[in-house]
Amino acid sequence: MSDIIQLLPDHVANQIAAGEVVQRPASVVKELLENAIDARATTIKLIIKEAGKTLIQVIDDGVGMSVTDARLSFERHATSKIKSAEDLFELNTKGFRGEALASIAAIAHVELKTKQEVDEVGTEIKIEGSTVISQEVCVTPKGTSISVKNLFYNIPARRNFLKSNAVELRHIIDEFHRVAMAHPTIKFDMYHNGSEVFNLPISNDRQRIVNIFGGKTNEKLVPIKEETDLVTVHGFVGKPEYSKRTRGEQFFFVNNRFIKSPYLNHAVNASFEGLLKDKAFPSYFIYLQVDPKSVDINIHPTKTEIKFEDEHALYAILRSTIKHSLGQFNVAPVLDFNRDASMDTPYDYKSKQAQAPTIEVDQSFNPFKEGTTGSVSGKGYTSSYKKESAWNWENLYVGLESEMEAPKRGDSKFSTVEFESEEVTGSLFESDDKKIGHHTTYQLKRKYIVTTIKSGMVIINQHRAHQRILYEELLRGITMASAVSQQLLFPLKLSFSKKELALLDTVKEQLQNTGFVFGDQNIGEIEITGIPSVVVEKEVSTLLEQLLSDLENEVPDTGFSQTDLLAKSIAKSVAIRTGVELATEQQHYMANSLFACTEPTVTPDNKPTFITLTVDEIDKKF
């Protein structure tokens, strides 16, 4: 039997490696930005076209590369960051795998221009699918410019798996945020299809966060800081009242590298225990500086998951640090014995001795003596009264005899007597004289609506039933553009980040069809002048936060799925909750509207809305 194991060609191996390194355009953005930071750049510019599918270009003013380095950088396992295996445990740089550029060049058209400061001219290299097309001398400024065009051009299957431009752009912005927040001393610019998306000047950590997420973010931040032998913690957490239903503003950085850590995230949530609303998540931007030897960052291809040497101690330090900051800035309730100014001793009495109270008694006072005046006096208190004459008590009974006489039949007084009628309340059970087809409803535990049908009884879950009713109403409004809107006397102004505003823009037309009316849109702020008739004004902010969370999690692509998701999200936010008491008319409306729906049996999330109990099933219980 002939040998069947063979070495893979380099271009095939590079394409396989690209499957780990490059999952979508955002992966390329991350790798190129980290390379620019490792090149000690002070200004980095990111240029995107068609959400990275057509062009991803990163321009930096770093140290650049020589002719040999420029050519060698596209080879597999080529890196300037490590020289031995021990270096893996003392890493202070970003890219060290040595496969990033080789993997990108295997699945795209790459153009590299680079020049060192000591050189008069630079180097230009063009590569298509791991094949070097040309290497020439060029005129270029100091630093490196790398362009990645037509991503996945030679792997159509991978390109077909890419999402819409709006979704891919959101992922690119996420990666841009993570890199930019970790390095506030570097100037970052981002452009998409020729328009500026971000312009982040050199600043400190707080200013960088505010520049990314909007000016209103500044008032929401509480600084945290702690230095120990194990770790140095600094950064910011959001005030509890500004918590959101989304996890979008949660960032951990270890040695200036963004990471995801459910364990540390639990520590943050534990420090906010008792301060957050239900299903709300705190915002945090936390920077951890640890010894590189105490962490292993090479356990995941994207390097977003790392392993700590002493996680338990880190958990305790982080939790106590955040709790201390929340108490220090009067965000969390603390036991406080503040001085009450009203209890202070006046200056005039500061040197005086306390005097014992005295009681003075009028020995001659007789309360039973007519026409006398008595007094009870004490220190600074005197009261007196005059006893009324004894004969006045007889006046109380004047005319009582005539009133107590029983009224005679036919008397005018008797004819005017009126009796109060008792209020008749509804009954759970039907009486025989009710009209045919009329059903009495009853609300059970402010959660279920109980009513009767021919075969027995129906128990309706009011929250789920209202979800189904609103969902179908909203779908009709969106598709037919016939929703009713109520104008607001005072427009609502809500603050969102650029990423969230871009997300809302993708469903803005559908929101308008549901009844929302939008006014002016400024940087980081959106104005709402009208809302759907089914929405209460105070619920608008919560509704939009829930909508953003749903859009991020479910990532709709087509117009229909966006419309469906929008109707689901609004119906879920607006539907009557458990614990709300409904009037009889509302109960009737809920039952009738539910069974008028096209699919009354389940909610939009396929949960049952009601159950039935037949008479036979009830009989079996007895």
Side-chain angles (χ1 to χ4, degrees), residues 541-560:
S541 178
T542 305
L543 186 153
L544 292 179
E545 283 183 13
Q546 181 66 51
L547 175 63
L548 288 170
S549 175
D550 292 340
L551 286 173
E552 286 184 354
N553 293 334
E554 299 198 21
V555 195
D557 283 332
T558 62
F560 174 75

Side-chain angles (χ1 to χ4, degrees), residues 497-512:
S497 65
K498 289 185 178 180
K499 175 189 168 186
E500 291 172 334
L501 288 175
L503 201 56
L504 283 175
D505 281 340
T506 61
V507 293
K508 191 171 185 179
E509 184 179 351
Q510 290 96 323
L511 284 172
Q512 289 172 335

